[in-house]
Amino acid sequence: MARRAALVLTAALLASSALTACSTEGPGSGPAAATKARSGGPITMGFAQVGAESGWRTANTKSVQEAAKKAGITLKFSDAQQKQENQIKAIRTFIQQKVDVIAFSPVVESGWDTVLKEAKDAGIPVILTDRAVDTQDASLYKTFLGSDFVKEGKSAGEWLTGAYANQPGPVNIVELQGTTGSAPANDRKAGFADAIRSDGKFKIVASQTGDFTRAKGKEVMQAFLKSQKDIDVLYAHNDDMALGAIQAIEESGKKPGTDIKVISVDGIKDAFVAMTQGKINVVVECNPMLGGQLMELAKKVVAGETVPKRVETEEGVFPQDKAAAALPSRTY
Amino acid sequence: MTPHPATDRASGGAGRRLAGHRLLWPALALLALLLGNLAFHHDFFAVRVRDGHLYGSLIDILQFGAPLILVALGMTLVIATRGIDLSVGSTVAIAGALACGHISTAARPGSVATMVTAVALALGVALVLGLANGLLVAGLGVQPIVATLILMVAGRGVAQLIGDGQIITVTSAPYKMIGGGYWLFFPFAVLLAAALVALTAFVTRRSALGMLIESVGGNPAASHLVGIRAGGLLALVYVFSALCAAVAGLMISSNVSSADGNNAGLWIELDAILAVVIGGTALTGGRFSLGGTVLGALTIQTLSTTVYTLGVPPETTLVFKAFVVIVVCLVQSPAFRAKALRRRRTNAPRPHKTAGAAPQHQEAGA
């Protein structure tokens, strides 16, 4: 399920980057229609979620629900159970109920034009979260709020170049890729490679897919540990693979985090626990907790203010010394 | 796929009998893969003792291959009855999720008693799942591929429900032993798999059970006429398959100390079927070979390790694997070997002009 989500995300991100380029007049046409629907009182938001296919998604749902309560926004929540028709039905219901703003994570990228047009005609602004849609008409939605995977890879690479700034090379890196062809895997690989390219001492000596899972991460790392003489750094595209690989490193008699530096992406709770134990050196966050940002955007959109067409989620980089402090706040 | 060339040759001398042995070609394929690894990585066969246990690539292959060997073991008996069990991957996920779920909520997660109840719980549920499959196939006469497809689809959902969609992480030394621990220098999982294979071989070959299974698969009508009750046997093999899958699920989740309902055992049913086929058991039922299945499972695991060792880029991994599998399957096929060998034999003494036509004459004569 996560793979399919990732795949959809790739396509969606590609589509969205293409769209933002030609959507300069998009926001201008919307505000007049959007403000028409407002008549004071608390804002009502209709949120159509993809489903509950992963821990990341569950945390995402929780974040939206809690943030709505905090912001005093009435939330009408619908779970599409991974089906587009359910989501379209939910959006139509939201339109009939005359909510002030609709937010949703599209299950798939295409086939949204009709229902989004209905929302636009009803004067209800739409915000996309986490995944984008593929449409010719960028005025159908106000903004897209989600992560930038290339930036995540870059942050990971920048941490590495910083950590080894004063040390002589070569630095041998092994990479555990995500599911082959998925957006997070492609982008996190590209971003990381980009960040370390400037310095010749950084060398990726082996790179294989670990399918985003612990079992595969462990299996591939065990093979790496035998086929590569000298490994200084492990870069894993998600925490689960890193956690599996850590076990492999330990079983080989080495100390993860010390003998082999471990860089990971996502920021799940288990990874923070491993970080407090010194087994992971740095985690680049991929944040599902976009509720707060979503509510802020919703308020602005409903008030008729112009918002950027693409908003990135706030994502931190957590080195080891910050892990203990951040651990209690990790909810997923 | 005619068996005649093999049996003809087997009736010859000792060397010929070896050449005709059904395990020869799977064994050679595995050996060739291992030697291929050795050529690229000279340390490949090195096995050292580290922290009181064996450490090396070969040990890795055995350890990661153990769950596949078990799933394929159960699959072999199912396939021998002309059936197929697609639900093993889901059973793997359910068993892992149940055991880890139980341990994570237990009062004393690290105790042996908790581990034993977790294992018993997983095996008990697997028994019920196997019975459900067996009932559908034997009792209601649903085609095996359809009957087990139901659990294949639904089971993964059940596994996710057990874990609430999350990965369940556990810290339990006794549970870790099953898939990640070592005993007498060897990975415990390998010893467990070896014991189960030996036990299965003993029971099926020392009693009439193996022959009964083969007869039900080889010719259901004839076996019915001679008075073999197929229903019980069918239910038995599906229960056995589910139990094997459950043990494999325990190994997989124990090895990484966590249960992932989404991904544990994903597509392992296909790997298992492939292992059975590489091992020389026909999907049409009848004769089965447990030794061949073990070789087949190890071949598949070696192939994965080869990909990592050679550094095959992830984009081409699947093509590489498919290529190797095609070669292994072709080499195994007596019909293909007969053709290839004959072509070479007839080519040598004759002039080039007639080389193309010669094999066809031979073929017609045979």
Side-chain angles (χ1 to χ4, degrees):
Chain A
M1 227 58 104
R3 286 183 210 182
R4 200 183 312 154
L7 210 70
V8 169
L9 212 61
T10 332
L13 270 177
L14 280 176
S16 76
S17 58
L19 281 171
T20 40
C22 60
S23 65
T24 36
E25 76 249 303
S29 58
T35 41
K36 185 180 68 187
R38 283 295 294 140
S39 55
I43 299 173
T44 309
M45 174 192 273
F47 188 82
Q49 179 63 287
V50 175
E53 79 278 12
S54 65
W56 193 95
R57 186 67 60 191
T58 316
N60 180 243
T61 301
K62 239 183 238 165
S63 160
V64 170
Q65 287 170 333
E66 277 163 17
K69 205 179 277 171
K70 217 167 157 190
I73 291 178
T74 316
L75 187 72
K76 292 181 187 289
F77 185 85
S78 133
D79 185 331
Q81 294 170 327
Q82 270 93 228
K83 287 206 182 77
Q84 185 176 27
E85 68 252 38
N86 289 348
Q87 228 169 11
I88 291 178
K89 250 184 251 166
I91 293 172
R92 291 219 165 104
T93 314
F94 292 150
I95 295 171
Q96 277 164 14
Q97 292 174 343
K98 298 196 171 66
V99 297
D100 299 310
V101 56
I102 293 172
F104 78 114
S105 300
V107 175
V108 293
E109 57 165 347
S110 56
W112 297 103
D113 284 33
T114 315
V115 69
L116 290 184
K117 186 100 195 339
E118 288 167 27
K120 192 184 171 190
D121 291 345
I124 301 172
V126 173
I127 300 174
L128 306 176
T129 65
D130 172 40
R131 305 176 181 185
V133 297
D134 180 13
T135 171
Q136 298 295 317
D137 184 1
S139 73
L140 290 179
Y141 65 93
K142 290 287 166 210
T143 180
F144 165 43
L145 172 66
S147 307
D148 183 344
F149 300 133
V150 178
K151 207 166 135 194
E152 287 166 7
K154 222 173 237 169
S155 302
E158 277 160 8
W159 179 87
L160 182 65
T161 49
Y164 278 86
N166 300 319
Q167 291 181 41
V171 179
N172 293 324
I173 305 161
V174 294
E175 183 180 34
L176 286 173
Q177 299 181 27
T179 306
T180 309
S182 69
N186 290 345
D187 293 354
R188 284 172 189 169
K189 182 179 159 71
F192 184 79
D194 221 33
I196 60 167
R197 186 169 298 136
S198 53
D199 195 336
K201 74 181 175 190
F202 295 106
K203 256 178 48 195
I204 298 180
V205 290
S207 180
Q208 282 290 338
T209 174
D211 270 342
F212 283 133
T213 66
R214 287 186 201 193
K216 272 279 175 195
K218 182 173 182 182
E219 189 180 331
V220 177
M221 192 64 197
Q222 283 204 345
F224 280 169
L225 284 163
K226 271 138 211 160
S227 62
Q228 301 298 329
K229 285 261 168 303
D230 188 16
I231 301 174
D232 299 308
V233 177
L234 161 70
Y235 169 47
H237 286 188
N238 83 342
D239 288 338
D240 285 318
M241 290 191 293
L243 289 169
I246 283 170
Q247 296 185 13
I249 297 171
E250 283 175 336
E251 279 167 26
S252 76
K254 292 193 172 109
K255 274 185 81 174
T258 316
D259 298 332
I260 296 177
K261 299 266 189 290
V262 180
I263 305 172
S264 178
V265 188
D266 258 7
I268 63 169
K269 201 174 188 175
D270 284 349
F272 274 79
V273 173
M275 227 184 340
T276 55
Q277 295 163 347
K279 294 174 183 172
I280 295 182
N281 298 80
V282 64
V283 168
V284 179
E285 187 182 34
C286 177
N287 193 359
M289 316 300 275
L290 44 74
Q293 275 179 296
L294 174 63
M295 297 311 149
E296 255 174 55
L297 278 173
K299 281 181 183 169
K300 277 188 193 163
V301 163
V302 172
E305 288 174 38
T306 317
V307 292
K309 204 72 187 173
R310 174 78 168 93
V311 181
E312 280 169 26
T313 41
E314 285 156 11
E315 303 192 322
V317 176
F318 292 89
Q320 238 169 34
D321 50 348
K322 279 200 214 160
L327 180 59
S329 66
R330 306 312 290 184
T331 50
Y332 58 98
Chain B
M1 289 281 170
T2 51
H4 302 295
T7 43
D8 285 347
R9 235 175 287 149
S11 59
R16 290 201 150 212
R17 204 171 304 146
L18 181 69
H21 197 280
R22 60 200 306 208
L23 289 188
L24 174 75
W25 292 101
L28 281 182
L30 179 58
L31 194 66
L33 260 183
L34 289 171
L35 289 176
N37 270 298
L38 189 64
F40 278 90
H41 183 56
H42 301 292
D43 261 4
F44 193 77
F45 281 4
V47 174
R48 283 175 284 270
V49 176
R50 191 172 285 185
D51 295 339
H53 62 77
L54 296 174
Y55 179 87
S57 295
L58 293 182
I59 302 298
D60 279 0
I61 291 174
L62 285 175
Q63 186 175 10
F64 284 111
L68 182 59
I69 288 175
L70 282 185
V71 175
L73 181 70
M75 188 71 79
T76 309
L77 295 191
V78 172
I79 286 179
T81 65
R82 272 194 198 184
I84 202 146
D85 189 350
L86 296 182
S87 68
V88 286
S90 293
T91 310
V92 162
I94 291 175
L98 276 174
C100 287
H102 176 76
I103 290 172
S104 68
T105 54
R108 290 188 306 139
S111 75
V112 177
T114 308
M115 184 272 281
V116 171
T117 44
V119 170
L121 181 70
L123 293 183
V125 170
L127 188 85
V128 175
L129 296 177
L131 267 179
N133 278 339
L135 194 72
L136 284 175
V137 174
L140 302 177
V142 181
Q143 282 182 345
I145 197 165
V146 178
T148 55
L149 186 69
I150 297 168
L151 186 56
M152 177 191 177
V153 176
R156 205 153 278 287
V158 172
Q160 285 172 34
L161 277 179
I162 295 167
D164 209 10
Q166 311 270 9
I167 295 174
I168 312 168
T169 307
V170 293
T171 40
S172 162
Y175 187 66
K176 176 95 188 162
M177 183 75 185
I178 300 172
Y182 293 86
W183 194 49
L184 302 174
F185 291 108
F186 270 96
F188 185 74
V190 176
L191 298 175
L192 186 60
L196 284 172
V197 169
L199 187 70
T200 310
F202 182 79
V203 170
T204 51
R205 295 307 185 197
R206 290 287 148 183
S207 74
L209 188 64
M211 198 188 64
L212 292 177
I213 289 173
E214 288 184 344
S215 65
V216 166
N219 193 335
S223 66
H224 180 72
L225 287 176
V226 297
I228 298 172
R229 264 184 261 164
L233 278 172
L234 284 178
L236 180 72
V237 294
Y238 284 96
V239 167
F240 179 69
S241 173
L243 286 176
C244 283
V247 177
L250 294 174
M251 280 180 184
I252 290 171
S253 68
S254 147
N255 190 22
V256 287
S257 290
S258 65
D260 182 349
N262 270 319
N263 296 302
L266 195 63
W267 310 130
I268 202 171
E269 57 275 349
L270 300 183
D271 276 351
I273 293 168
L274 186 60
V276 173
V277 171
I278 290 178
T281 303
L283 287 176
T284 44
R287 288 211 308 170
F288 65 89
S289 164
L290 295 178
T293 295
V294 172
L295 286 177
L298 288 177
T299 304
I300 292 171
Q301 191 56 44
T302 307
L303 192 52
S304 297
T305 307
T306 307
V307 166
Y308 309 142
T309 310
L310 299 190
V312 178
E315 299 81 17
T316 51
T317 297
L318 295 177
V319 178
F320 174 80
K321 281 189 173 178
F323 177 75
V324 174
V325 166
I326 288 174
V327 170
V328 170
C329 287
L330 281 181
V331 160
Q332 282 233 65
S333 145
F336 176 82
R337 280 205 311 274
K339 254 183 199 169
L341 279 178
R342 242 170 243 167
R343 186 162 297 202
R344 223 185 313 141
R345 255 182 240 153
T346 46
N347 272 357
R350 286 173 191 228
H352 287 284
K353 271 180 192 170
T354 53
Q360 278 165 8
H361 283 295
Q362 294 272 328
E363 201 61 1

